Amino acid sequence: MNSTSTQFVPSRRMGIYEPIHQMAMWGDFKGNNCLELDASPPLILEVDPKLDNQSEDTSHGTVGPSNKYDQEASKPGDKVLRRLAQNREAARKSRLRKKAYVQQLESSKLRLLQIEQELGRARQQGLYVGGAVDASPTGYAGSTHPGIVTFEMEYGHWVEEQDRQISDLRNALHSDMGDMELRIFVDGGMRHYFDLFTMKATAAKADVFYVMSGMWKTSAERFFFWIGGFRPSELLKVLLPHLEPLTEQQHLDVGNLTQSCQQAEDALSQGMEKLHQILGEAIAKQLGEENYLPQIGAAIDKLEALVRFVVQADHLRQQTLQQISRILTTRQAARGLLALGEYLQRLRALSSLWSSRPRESSQPLVH
């Protein structure tokens, strides 16, 4: 961790982040999702000039040998048939693309209607808590900042993609797929979490309080929140039973990684406590004066450190995922990613069921 990123987490002086420093950074995983459409062949048929010449010669009574005429006449016919076959194939692909597009529009329309119905039920049941609705993937409906609105949409898509990846990974583990093919699923799942960390860093610059509050998560997920996300050491303890059997060396490595995570988490938590104290003192200066803009301005300057805390916490999460994947085999890493995804799914399901549970009547008892 870069010690210059914030004055509240002096890692060298505290002697706390050294094991984590040994972890290499993941490279950026970037890809272009380009949709390549098949180029349709030209629909205009070409006419062989030799055929015109042959017909012209025939009209003048100069006809060559019959076998030569048959060969020349068969060539344009074969070309016409090939062109017709290509045209039919191009038309078939075009119909398939149109059908897929229409299905996508219908699916989006149904999803929109479903969201509207969920919001309607939430309003009737009074499920708004600070502008949040647990029934939605983002768990937040009160933001107006363009950067946060974009993050909410991207995170909603992120959750949908994670559900799809979990299903694919589960099917892959239950099949006879080899480790090389399984590694593709593991790498894809890791990149998916790294994409989320990048999205959060951008959102934190737009509104760090929003990211820290966890209003984009469901209530059950917020119950386990730590600096904008999950606590790496606690998550390792949750996932460990699903990684067995582990070798003796793997048990030792996982234990060392857990200890390093706890040390880094303690350092960040201490820095956060110090930041709370500094911000509170800055706001409380010269209370009773009407002009408090200087105090607010000083507090705003210090909030840049809060953004760095979110980035550092996600950096620790990313390093933890990277390091545990190095310790485990490909199949163990796949089981770990599946367990992590199912764990988050169950937290979201818990929030939804808790919010929609039947309420007991608060009417007074009549004796």
Side-chain angles (χ1 to χ4, degrees):
M1 186 180 295
N2 189 352
S3 60
T4 62
S5 60
T6 174
Q7 59 181 324
F8 308 114
V9 192
S11 59
R12 291 184 178 274
R13 179 165 56 83
M14 300 180 68
I16 289 184
Y17 230 87
E18 294 302 323
I20 296 293
H21 268 298
Q22 303 302 321
M23 304 180 189
M25 287 290 295
W26 277 93
D28 293 333
F29 293 88
K30 298 181 180 178
N32 297 326
N33 298 326
C34 300
L35 179 61
E36 299 179 358
L37 299 179
D38 296 330
S40 300
L43 300 180
I44 301 177
L45 301 180
E46 299 178 1
V47 179
D48 194 335
K50 293 182 180 181
L51 185 60
D52 292 338
N53 295 337
Q54 282 286 358
S55 60
E56 199 172 306
D57 293 340
T58 305
S59 64
H60 289 83
T62 56
V63 181
S66 60
N67 59 349
K68 180 179 180 181
Y69 177 81
D70 293 340
Q71 293 175 359
E72 293 294 331
S74 64
K75 289 181 180 178
D78 293 342
K79 182 180 290 188
V80 170
L81 292 177
R82 285 197 301 271
R83 291 291 186 182
L84 291 175
Q86 291 175 347
N87 292 344
R88 285 195 295 269
E89 180 65 17
R92 186 185 69 85
K93 291 181 178 180
S94 177
R95 289 194 298 271
L96 290 176
R97 287 195 295 268
K98 181 179 179 180
K99 182 179 179 181
Y101 179 68
V102 172
Q103 289 177 345
Q104 182 180 4
L105 289 178
E106 292 176 350
S107 177
S108 300
K109 182 180 179 180
L110 291 176
R111 176 59 180 160
L112 180 60
L113 292 175
Q114 181 183 0
I115 292 175
E116 291 177 349
Q117 292 174 358
E118 290 175 351
L119 289 175
R121 288 196 299 268
R123 292 189 183 97
Q124 293 175 0
Q125 297 175 6
L127 299 183
Y128 281 101
V129 181
V133 181
D134 279 337
S136 66
T138 61
Y140 190 77
S143 174
T144 57
H145 193 288
I148 299 303
V149 172
T150 300
F151 173 77
E152 289 177 351
M153 295 176 58
E154 291 178 344
Y155 180 69
H157 295 154
W158 187 91
V159 171
E160 292 177 357
E161 175 63 18
Q162 188 192 40
D163 291 341
R164 185 192 65 79
Q165 289 189 3
I166 292 172
S167 178
D168 292 344
L169 190 57
R170 184 184 298 110
N171 294 335
L173 283 170
H174 292 165
S175 67
D176 56 353
M177 183 178 297
D179 286 352
M180 291 186 63
E181 294 174 292
L182 195 58
R183 172 54 60 179
I184 298 176
F185 289 90
V186 172
D187 292 342
M190 300 285 280
R191 284 195 301 268
H192 194 56
Y193 284 101
F194 299 161
D195 289 342
L196 176 60
F197 300 151
T198 302
M199 290 160 46
K200 287 170 59 182
T202 303
K205 294 177 182 178
D207 187 351
V208 67
F209 289 121
Y210 167 84
V211 177
M212 286 288 297
S213 67
M215 297 308 296
W216 46 284
K217 289 282 192 179
T218 59
S219 55
E221 291 174 293
R222 291 196 299 271
F223 182 72
F224 297 94
F225 232 48
W226 174 80
I227 312 184
F230 59 82
R231 188 183 287 267
S233 63
E234 292 298 324
L235 203 60
L236 286 175
K237 295 177 182 178
V238 171
L239 299 181
L240 185 59
H242 304 278
L243 305 178
E244 299 288 354
L246 296 174
T247 65
E248 183 177 350
Q249 183 62 45
Q250 284 178 322
H251 272 291
L252 181 61
D253 292 339
V254 172
N256 291 335
L257 178 60
T258 303
Q259 183 178 6
S260 297
C261 288
Q262 290 172 339
Q263 292 175 350
E265 292 163 7
D266 290 343
L268 286 172
S269 296
Q270 292 173 14
M272 284 291 295
E273 292 177 2
K274 184 65 176 178
L275 179 60
H276 286 166
Q277 178 182 351
I278 292 175
L279 280 176
E281 293 175 352
I283 293 294
K285 280 184 178 179
Q286 298 175 337
L287 291 175
E289 295 186 3
E290 293 185 0
N291 183 17
Y292 53 80
L293 292 181
Q295 291 77 20
I296 299 299
I300 290 176
D301 292 338
K302 292 176 173 56
L303 286 180
E304 292 295 329
L306 187 57
V307 177
R308 291 195 291 271
F309 272 111
V310 174
V311 174
Q312 289 175 355
D314 277 343
H315 178 64
L316 175 60
R317 297 179 186 104
Q318 178 169 328
Q319 285 188 320
T320 303
L321 289 174
Q322 174 194 13
Q323 192 68 1
I324 192 65
S325 69
R326 291 179 175 177
I327 295 173
L328 303 175
T329 65
T330 299
R331 194 159 294 273
Q332 288 172 333
R335 293 206 310 268
L337 281 175
L338 179 60
L340 175 57
E342 291 179 341
Y343 177 71
L344 297 177
Q345 276 184 335
R346 292 184 182 185
L347 287 178
R348 291 192 288 267
L350 173 62
S351 296
S352 179
L353 292 174
W354 173 256
S355 299
S356 60
R357 74 193 188 281
R359 264 64 168 185
E360 294 182 0
S361 176
S362 59
Q363 296 179 354
L365 297 177
V366 179
H367 296 285

